[in-house]
Amino acid sequence: MTKNISKLMLLFVMLITTYSAAQSEQLILSEQLLSNSKVFIVEELPQKRNFFNTKISKFKFGEYVLTEGSHNWGSSTSQKQTKNGNQVINRSKFKFTISNNENIASSVKVVKESKELIFDNGTFLEQLVPAIGSTIPSVENQTEVLTGTLSNPISNADWQFIVKKIINKEHGNTFEMFITKGDRRITIQVASINGEQGLIRSGFEFFENNQSLAALFIGLPNKTIWFKNNLDSETEIILATMMVCLMVEYPKPSAFIYSY
């Protein structure tokens, strides 16, 4: 009983802290989401590490919790000489499973690939093979691509996703991100906070058919999640799974918003 009261008090303090930060730093989110959503603070518990792999932090928010996960599920680096220069390809992987209060589990295996050509006077990115409909062209910097398949028992087919980041040293990073299944496509946009230092990109908002479904902010005092009220079970668990992917890959705003 005392333990439960302590946890409730801690959650209350975290919510108040996040609310205060949101008041002083304006969240740039769709009004339709802010006025019709449920909000959760993300709890993050580090996991034990070993020599062979790194356990993913145990994320917990609302009715969702990460039950198992690990980095470095098969990583590789390769190089080959091409007519334009020396090509370097880095691949790394992670996987995890989350479940909700109804013990419905959602699992994902994520592959990250970066690819560039190296010259004596700099680098030029070779065009990556488009993945499930990617449209952003390559530029004169490194590109990182996350791809994966989201599986759960309540979907009639697997969902696929892509997170494509163009790293531009002069103009900051550009993203193309979406989740798709059949004729459904949920796009992900970088979201911002308007604070004392100006506009800072520090989160993600999810849209389908121009309707805001959810948001994840990494740049608040505590990671915070919004889900639109009355989402169907399949959509919500897919969004929750994708949010964990983004929190694993981009644990802090500096991991995805700033130029190098």
Side-chain angles (χ1 to χ4, degrees), residues 153-165:
I154 59 177
S155 295
N156 58 9
D158 289 340
W159 291 71
Q160 293 181 298
F161 74 86
I162 181 171
V163 175
K164 186 174 183 179
K165 180 173 75 170

Side-chain angles (χ1 to χ4, degrees), residues 235-254:
T235 300
E236 187 172 292
I237 198 169
I238 287 298
L239 292 171
T241 308
M242 192 67 219
M243 288 177 178
V244 173
C245 285
L246 293 170
M247 288 189 286
V248 170
E249 182 63 19
Y250 308 116
K252 298 179 180 179
S254 58

Side-chain angles (χ1 to χ4, degrees), residues 34-229:
L34 289 174
S35 62
N36 181 31
S37 60
K38 48 189 179 182
V39 185
F40 301 104
I41 301 298
V42 179
E43 297 180 57
E44 185 175 353
L45 304 174
Q47 301 280 55
K48 291 182 179 180
R49 299 182 177 185
N50 60 45
F51 179 79
F52 297 102
N53 59 38
T54 303
K55 296 293 184 181
I56 293 175
S57 295
K58 188 174 183 179
F59 295 102
K60 185 177 181 181
F61 50 94
E63 63 179 82
Y64 298 99
V65 61
L66 187 144
T67 54
E68 60 179 341
S70 61
H71 290 282
N72 299 330
W73 156 69
S75 300
S76 66
T77 300
S78 61
Q79 297 188 39
K80 67 177 182 179
Q81 190 69 33
T82 71
K83 63 180 181 179
N84 294 320
N86 187 38
Q87 184 186 77
V88 179
I89 304 171
N90 294 295
R91 292 186 181 91
S92 60
K93 303 178 182 181
F94 62 88
K95 61 182 178 180
F96 64 85
T97 300
I98 68 169
S99 62
N100 61 13
N101 291 344
E102 299 176 356
N103 291 322
I104 298 174
S106 178
S107 60
V108 62
K109 291 182 178 180
V110 183
V111 178
K112 177 181 179 180
E113 179 176 284
S114 61
K115 195 172 184 180
E116 64 181 333
L117 290 177
I118 299 178
F119 293 88
D120 292 337
N121 60 348
T123 65
F124 178 81
L125 179 71
E126 184 182 55
Q127 177 69 47
L128 284 166
V129 176
I132 55 173
S134 174
T135 57
I136 289 183
S138 298
V139 295
E140 292 185 0
N141 279 293
Q142 185 179 3
T143 289
E144 295 177 353
V145 179
L146 294 183
T147 56
T149 300
L150 309 175
S151 304
N152 66 75
I154 59 177
S155 295
N156 58 9
D158 289 340
W159 291 71
Q160 293 181 298
F161 74 86
I162 181 171
V163 175
K164 186 174 183 179
K165 180 173 75 170
I166 307 295
I167 302 171
N168 190 299
K169 297 178 181 179
E170 295 183 1
H171 306 292
N173 301 328
T174 303
F175 284 84
E176 179 185 26
M177 303 173 282
F178 57 85
I179 322 166
T180 183
K181 183 193 76 168
D183 59 354
R184 291 193 64 183
R185 183 183 176 102
I186 298 173
T187 59
I188 309 169
Q189 298 179 11
V190 175
S192 303
I193 293 176
N194 192 3
E196 295 179 357
Q197 298 179 343
L199 206 61
I200 301 174
R201 299 189 295 169
S202 57
F204 304 91
E205 189 168 3
F206 300 75
F207 294 87
E208 185 175 23
N209 298 324
N210 297 318
Q211 296 294 311
S212 179
L213 304 180
L216 161 67
F217 264 88
I218 297 171
L220 293 173
N222 301 290
K223 292 182 176 71
T224 308
I225 284 172
W226 287 257
F227 283 124
K228 181 182 176 182
N229 289 328

